[in-house]
Amino acid sequence: MNASSAGVKALKVAAGKDADGNAQYRIQFSSATTGASGDFQVYSGTSADVAAGSATNLLTAPGSAVIKTAQDASVRLYAGTTAEQTITSSTNTFTGLLPGVDVSVSKASSDPVTIGIAQDTSAATAVASGLVSAVNGVLALISTKSAVVNSTDSAGNNVVSGGPFTGDSTVRGVNDALVTAASMPVNGHSPSEIGISITKDGNFEFDQDKFSAALAKDPAGTQSMLATLASRVADAATTASDKYDGQLTGVITGQQSIVTDLNKQVDEWTLRLTDRRSALEKQYATLETQLSTLNSQSSSLSSALAGLPAVYTGA
């Protein structure tokens, strides 16, 4: 049964021992779904017996016990007034009990319950603060990698060296796009109105108190502006780093292509130089053989000359 799609689960529960000391068990059935729709009956007999009404209902048979009847959870609103109404749910959660409000109940109670509803600003504040931190993190990385450093070499000479992003127009364009996305007005309103402002150093600041005040005054407008800022920053980031046609992706692909081409040229020159070295070694070997032959001939000639008789040339 537990492996079927009947929607009912069975569990064997220990029920003590009989007079002979043998263990006894009960079978506990439960619905796989909650609420009144999970109600079920268990019969002993065939489908035909059930249809004919001759099957035994095990849930009502002598000795059986119904622990809990399937039912929906319910709440009464405006109890004791002309506007009283009962709302039901197949679970303990009432979705949309009030516009934008879900309510979960934990136990039955006949006593009136008052629900207080207040806006949760922590989530929106965390999003705004996280957006500012993320943008500042990228801008700080670009600034660090673009900095020019003055140093001195071992000889005392002044050395000026740049970072990997120094002078890179593509990276500079990405920086400008992010700054623009996070600082430009939204529908004529500056982001500084909701606590997101840019400093003279090009970084962003987040004023939590100002953001909370804006959220309390105009929740929809503040959230809309924040969503627009986040969307613009996301678009700028995608334009820069999309894995298929992003600006930085194009630069990286181009640099990788250059590296591949240079490695190919190095490999080709390595083969040429290897062949040239082999040819020169052969030439040098031939020259050494020839020089050895000439030295041998020179020694023989010197010996021959030394053996000739002296010739008198005097008057």
Side-chain angles (χ1 to χ4, degrees):
M1 173 182 287
N2 290 342
S4 72
S5 58
V8 177
K9 303 298 182 181
L11 177 66
K12 184 171 73 172
V13 181
K17 297 182 179 181
D18 60 16
D20 296 327
N22 299 316
Q24 292 185 318
Y25 297 91
R26 287 181 177 271
I27 297 179
Q28 178 178 306
F29 297 100
S30 60
S31 175
T33 59
T34 60
S37 61
D39 189 31
F40 62 88
Q41 299 294 322
V42 180
Y43 292 93
S44 174
T46 65
S47 299
D49 295 335
V50 174
S54 59
T56 300
N57 188 338
L58 298 181
L59 298 184
T60 60
S64 65
V66 177
I67 299 174
K68 189 173 184 180
T69 302
Q71 60 181 344
D72 289 338
S74 65
V75 294
R76 285 191 303 161
L77 303 181
Y78 317 112
T81 69
T82 57
E84 179 178 330
Q85 59 179 309
T86 299
I87 308 297
T88 62
S89 173
S90 61
T91 69
N92 287 338
T93 297
F94 295 81
T95 303
L97 186 63
L98 298 174
V101 178
D102 299 339
V103 176
S104 294
V105 296
S106 58
K107 63 179 181 180
S109 174
S110 59
D111 297 327
V113 176
T114 301
I115 299 176
I117 300 174
Q119 185 178 30
D120 182 10
T121 62
S122 59
T125 302
V127 171
S129 177
L131 176 64
V132 172
S133 297
V135 172
N136 280 338
V138 175
L139 297 180
L141 176 64
I142 292 175
S143 177
T144 300
K145 299 298 182 180
S146 300
V148 176
V149 179
N150 292 316
S151 59
T152 304
D153 60 18
S154 57
N157 299 315
N158 187 43
V159 178
V160 179
S161 57
F165 296 161
T166 302
D168 192 311
S169 59
T170 301
V171 174
R172 187 165 56 251
V174 170
N175 186 97
D176 294 343
L178 287 174
V179 171
T180 299
S183 63
M184 290 297 290
V186 177
N187 297 326
H189 295 276
S190 171
S192 62
E193 296 179 18
I194 63 171
I196 299 176
S197 57
I198 187 170
T199 67
K200 63 180 181 180
D201 297 325
N203 296 318
F204 286 87
E205 288 182 341
F206 176 64
D207 188 329
Q208 182 173 336
D209 292 337
K210 196 170 185 179
F211 180 81
S212 298
L215 196 60
K217 180 180 180 181
D218 183 9
T222 301
Q223 293 180 17
S224 176
M225 178 179 287
L226 179 60
T228 300
L229 292 176
S231 178
R232 292 195 315 203
V233 170
D235 290 342
T238 300
T239 299
S241 61
D242 182 83
K243 63 180 181 180
Y244 296 111
D245 55 7
Q247 296 170 329
L248 296 178
T249 304
V251 172
I252 293 172
T253 301
Q255 294 295 330
Q256 290 176 335
S257 178
I258 293 175
V259 171
T260 300
D261 184 63
L262 290 175
N263 286 332
K264 183 179 180 181
Q265 293 183 37
V266 169
D267 291 340
E268 291 175 350
W269 273 106
T270 299
L271 292 175
R272 292 177 185 177
L273 291 174
T274 300
D275 292 340
R276 180 60 176 165
R277 176 179 179 178
S278 178
L280 290 174
E281 287 177 344
K282 290 180 179 179
Q283 291 180 4
Y284 290 150
T286 301
L287 287 175
E288 287 180 352
T289 301
Q290 292 177 351
L291 286 174
S292 177
T293 301
L294 289 175
N295 287 334
S296 178
Q297 292 176 351
S298 176
S299 297
S300 298
L301 183 58
S302 297
S303 298
L305 292 174
L308 291 176
V311 178
Y312 179 71
T313 58

